Amino acid sequence: VTTFLQILCNSVSLAAVYVLLAAGLTVYLGVFGILNFAQGDFATIGGYVTFAVISGLGLEIYAAAIAGVLAGVAVGAVFYFMVLKPLWRAPPISQVLATYGLALLIEGIIEYIAGTTPKAITVSRSSLHFFGAYLADTSAINGGLALALILALFALFYRTRTGRKIRAVAEDAEAARLVGISVPRVTFLVCIVGGTLSCAACVTFLTSLYLTPTVGFSEIFQAFTVVVVAGLGNVVGVLWAGVLVAIADSAASYFLGDAVGQLVGFGIVIAVLLIRPTGLAGMVSEAR
Amino acid sequence: MKHYAFGRWVMLSAAATVFAMVLAACGSSGSGSGSGSAHSPIYIGAYMPLSGVTAPEGQELLAGYKFGVSQVNATGGIHGRKLVLVTKDDAGNPTTSASVAQELGNDSSVVAVLGTFGSGTAIPSSAVLEKAGVPNIQPFASAPQIVSRGFKYLFNAYPLSTYIDDLSIIKCLQTSCISKPKTVALVYDDDPFSIAAAQQFQAYAKSNGISVVTSQKIEDAQPSYLSTATVLKNTKADLVWMAVYDDEAALLMPEMSQLSYVPKYVYTDGSELIDPPVVSAAGKLTVGGLSGLGWYPGSPVAESAAFMTAYKAKEHTAPTLEEAGGYQAVEVLVQALESLPASDINRNAVRNALASKTFSTIYGQVKFAKDGQGTSQVFLIQVEPGLKQQVILPTSPSVPKTITYLGQ
């Protein structure tokens, strides 16, 4: 029982990383139909901005992370002007290449400015202890943060007029324009929201990972796995799917070794595609 | 009009991609042409991971090379000829490393090559350099396979991982410098250097009544090693033996600490416990931790002490193991070049000098055996309270050792 509990606790910090990255990914996929390979790199930018604020002003991680999250506004704006505006209706291959190019560009710039030496901050290593299992304080906070942001995103999409406009644009941008919705304004807002969500993942990077220029990109596949399991555009689904993938990852790593744990994401994607393709329903409808 | 804008942005995106690729490969630079005349520069090839997962180690290795070369050039170079580094980024990728080694081999102005970080890339790239007839000094290839191929142009400067273990943790257990653990948990990276060392230690443990309770192979660039830490905790092993990279240790050790798992001993085959980020992150596992190394900052070798002083004076910080290893490779090459007449500096002459001379370096006296492996000292160090390092092995009768247990 203790081991099972520990595996669940181990999953919390992973789940926070996966959920926050997947949330940004699913927003862009669901509304624009664009698979953004640079989503993980957005989080990396947030991480470096947060790190700079901690180093420069000596702020505590969660206070400094506000700057990292705000960096998401600029990141979202860059995505809007560099990828979405010119390529929204372009063939998927152009979109994929553009986002991949953006990812490489971000990594190159970070490497040029900050170098490749890993950046880390000193964080509390204290843990919550229950029934023989340990959960790091930072993991618990990150998990709570991810939960709160997903609920806020759900509220934005399904409980506000802006959310209705976003969903209208996602359904049919031309029809939305005909009924008076400012499509550029809505799409710009969605870009900002997606960028901000991804940059929020910077907290999870800084408390449980070392920052390197490629750290975000290396997590993007697991985030994509979460999106596939949740179903495209399913905001709340990202939450349970992120937790599920994180638990599967942790359990496989524990019982079968680290190398097998790495393959879990691939296995899950293949299984979902074969057994329950409805997880991809949004993608199918987007490609119609 | 829309068509025009679309094309322009596609082009801009493509340009951004190309620009990013150029930035990512910014460590590469051309050699220029070396004539080999009496006053022309001497071109030295150098390749290492400047991008990818092991880029931090590669950057430090390059810094060590640059420091060594700058010292030589500051005193007039070799027979009045300046040294020029021709650097290439191998991205820590075996295929890329072979490709950049081929580029350096094809560059006739390059008289010798300073190698890369890690056995996984050094093994294929040194085969390419062997075929091209380029003497190459590998500073951080510690897998036994590197010197098992009968190469004539390969000179392996860092001790093999199995040799380090032999003269550190295994010798320590044989001489009872720490109390014999009943159980050991092995953690190793999926890399030739660590697999070989793990196999050797597993065999030693089994034949000496130490139970191997788990053997965990970990992958690099993982977001967390909590699962591995949980396995280790559940085994309650007395000794956790590790052969992993610094970035892996920097996650795994704090995570073991986070789970309140403090074994009696942690041993690392590598530089983890002299690496400041790991030391600052490892928490309860730092003081008392044991490391087997070919060099450490407090090394009693006279050349090492002089290097530490010069390095700190210039860089205002202590060198890492990678920086020291880069410097040591330059030391070896420079002494080989200095032994040659100014008019006879070519690949074969450099190779013969490397094969025949004994070199005074920060690792001590180094002589390369026929298989290309250099002799070197090995140290077993332990982190003491105050984060100082004490040498456990080799023993010195004048300095009594007090072993610290983890968590004390």
Side-chain angles (χ1 to χ4, degrees):
Chain A
V1 173
T2 303
T3 299
F4 179 69
L5 268 178
Q6 189 59 60
I7 289 171
L8 290 181
C9 290
N10 295 349
S11 310
V12 174
S13 61
L14 274 182
V17 175
Y18 296 165
V19 165
L20 288 175
L21 281 182
L25 204 60
T26 205
V27 165
Y28 286 176
L29 261 169
V31 178
F32 308 133
I34 291 178
L35 176 58
N36 179 21
F37 275 98
Q39 205 80 40
D41 297 277
F42 291 180
T44 312
I45 291 175
Y48 274 91
V49 170
T50 305
F51 181 81
V53 171
I54 291 170
S55 306
L57 303 178
L59 291 182
E60 192 267 340
I61 168 79
Y62 291 100
I66 293 170
V69 174
L70 289 177
V73 175
V75 164
V78 168
F79 181 83
Y80 176 80
F81 288 110
M82 201 170 160
V83 178
L84 185 75
K85 199 175 172 194
L87 294 175
W88 190 8
R89 300 299 176 203
I93 185 68
S94 301
Q95 297 171 343
V96 166
L97 283 174
T99 61
Y100 185 60
L102 183 60
L104 289 174
L105 181 66
I106 291 169
E107 288 168 23
I109 290 171
I110 292 174
E111 198 175 309
Y112 184 74
I113 295 171
T116 55
T117 304
K119 310 279 188 239
I121 57 163
T122 305
V123 291
S124 160
R125 294 286 171 197
S126 55
S127 303
L128 306 170
H129 185 201
F130 49 96
F131 302 112
Y134 292 80
L135 175 65
D137 292 354
T138 49
S139 297
I141 295 170
N142 293 346
L145 185 72
L147 177 65
L149 284 172
I150 293 300
L151 293 178
L153 186 66
F154 176 79
L156 172 70
F157 272 40
Y158 296 100
R159 296 285 183 270
T160 65
R161 286 186 63 189
T162 305
R164 268 207 301 276
K165 290 178 185 175
I166 291 172
R167 284 184 285 132
V169 169
E171 189 65 33
D172 189 331
E174 189 57 26
R177 189 183 66 78
L178 289 173
V179 297
I181 294 173
S182 171
V183 175
R185 190 176 296 174
V186 168
T187 51
F188 185 76
L189 176 70
V190 171
C191 286
I192 300 292
V193 168
T196 309
L197 277 170
S198 297
C199 281
C202 69
V203 180
T204 58
F205 284 1
L206 270 173
T207 51
S208 61
L209 286 168
Y210 274 64
L211 263 185
T212 63
T214 55
V215 67
F217 191 77
S218 62
E219 299 305 320
I220 199 65
F221 179 77
Q222 293 291 37
F224 181 65
T225 303
V226 171
V227 171
V228 170
V229 172
L232 181 66
N234 187 343
V235 172
V236 174
V238 159
L239 193 61
W240 62 257
V243 172
L244 187 71
V245 171
I247 291 173
D249 195 330
S250 294
S253 296
Y254 179 84
F255 291 110
L256 303 170
D258 203 37
V260 176
Q262 270 197 315
L263 300 176
V264 164
F266 292 100
I268 290 174
V269 166
I270 292 168
V272 169
L273 288 173
L274 289 176
I275 300 165
R276 192 164 176 80
T278 48
L280 297 171
M283 187 178 284
V284 172
S285 91
E286 195 63 32
R288 67 194 181 276
Chain B
M1 193 64 190
K2 193 175 179 182
H3 218 81
Y4 165 75
F6 170 72
R8 181 187 59 175
W9 279 102
V10 170
M11 291 305 289
L12 270 177
S13 302
T17 308
V18 172
F19 178 57
M21 286 172 169
V22 170
L23 273 179
C26 64
S28 299
S29 61
S31 66
S33 59
S35 66
S37 66
H39 299 291
S40 62
I42 298 172
Y43 290 100
I44 309 296
Y47 65 104
M48 68 292 291
L50 298 174
S51 56
V53 176
T54 51
E57 287 89 346
Q59 298 278 11
E60 289 172 358
L61 179 58
L62 177 59
Y65 288 157
K66 285 182 172 174
F67 180 76
V69 166
S70 70
Q71 286 223 314
V72 174
N73 286 340
T75 54
I78 308 286
H79 305 309
R81 297 173 67 184
K82 299 281 185 188
L83 296 183
V84 174
L85 279 178
V86 182
T87 60
K88 303 277 182 190
D89 177 12
D90 71 16
N93 179 296
T95 309
T96 312
S97 74
S99 171
V100 298
Q102 189 65 59
E103 287 177 37
L104 292 170
N106 292 344
D107 186 342
S108 60
S109 66
V110 168
V111 297
V113 167
L114 300 168
T116 187
F117 178 84
S119 302
T121 45
I123 289 172
S125 56
S126 59
V128 172
L129 292 168
E130 179 75 13
K131 202 172 174 185
V134 187
N136 59 105
I137 301 171
Q138 296 295 339
F140 284 109
S142 55
Q145 297 96 305
I146 189 84
V147 290
S148 64
R149 298 169 294 172
F151 285 1
K152 290 182 177 176
Y153 289 86
L154 168 78
F155 299 92
N156 199 44
Y158 198 72
L160 301 179
S161 58
T162 47
Y163 184 74
I164 288 176
D165 265 21
D166 252 343
L167 293 188
S168 58
I169 187 67
I170 290 176
K171 187 171 180 185
C172 179
L173 291 170
Q174 286 168 339
T175 57
S176 302
C177 83
I178 61 172
S179 58
K180 183 180 167 184
K182 289 179 182 166
T183 53
V184 60
L186 305 175
V187 186
Y188 58 102
D189 185 87
D190 188 10
D191 180 282
F193 99 89
S194 46
I195 292 170
Q199 286 170 343
Q200 173 181 271
F201 194 79
Q202 182 158 18
Y204 170 80
K206 282 182 177 170
S207 60
N208 286 275
I210 302 171
S211 173
V212 178
V213 286
T214 188
S215 184
Q216 293 283 312
K217 182 161 74 175
I218 64 173
E219 302 289 323
D220 59 16
Q222 293 298 293
S224 164
Y225 294 103
L226 267 171
S227 295
T228 304
T230 307
V231 173
L232 296 176
K233 185 188 176 191
N234 287 349
T235 64
K236 298 184 175 69
D238 294 335
L239 166 65
V240 174
W241 177 101
M242 291 200 283
V244 298
Y245 285 110
D246 288 359
D247 57 319
E248 296 162 344
L251 283 178
L252 177 60
M253 292 176 76
E255 287 171 345
M256 288 166 64
S257 184
Q258 180 187 311
L259 297 181
S260 285
Y261 172 48
V262 182
K264 205 169 177 183
Y265 305 109
V266 164
Y267 166 79
T268 68
D269 181 329
S271 64
E272 287 75 21
L273 293 175
I274 62 168
D275 187 58
V278 183
V279 168
S280 66
K284 297 171 195 164
L285 302 188
T286 309
V287 174
L290 297 158
S291 262
L293 296 152
W295 177 86
Y296 78 106
S299 165
V301 175
E303 286 81 355
S304 177
F307 163 65
M308 289 295 292
T309 305
Y311 194 92
K312 282 180 181 172
K314 187 174 181 190
E315 307 293 339
H316 307 294
T317 181
T320 63
L321 179 65
E322 287 74 22
E323 284 157 346
Y327 178 80
Q328 194 263 359
V330 174
E331 277 186 309
V332 168
L333 181 58
V334 164
Q335 289 172 40
L337 292 170
E338 282 175 336
S339 72
L340 299 172
S343 59
D344 193 28
I345 293 180
N346 58 59
R347 289 177 176 181
N348 277 329
V350 173
R351 183 259 156 211
N352 292 338
L354 286 169
S356 60
K357 301 282 177 195
T358 299
F359 304 95
S360 299
T361 78
I362 60 170
Y363 291 178
Q365 295 289 301
V366 172
K367 170 95 176 130
F368 292 101
K370 276 191 173 175
D371 62 4
Q373 180 58 47
T375 53
S376 178
Q377 293 202 41
V378 168
F379 301 97
L380 176 65
I381 63 155
Q382 185 179 44
V383 181
E384 292 182 294
L387 303 184
K388 293 179 179 171
Q389 298 129 3
Q390 72 159 340
V391 185
I392 307 294
L393 291 173
T395 53
S396 164
S398 62
V399 186
K401 305 296 187 299
T402 307
I403 298 296
T404 306
Y405 292 93
L406 290 167
Q408 272 187 340

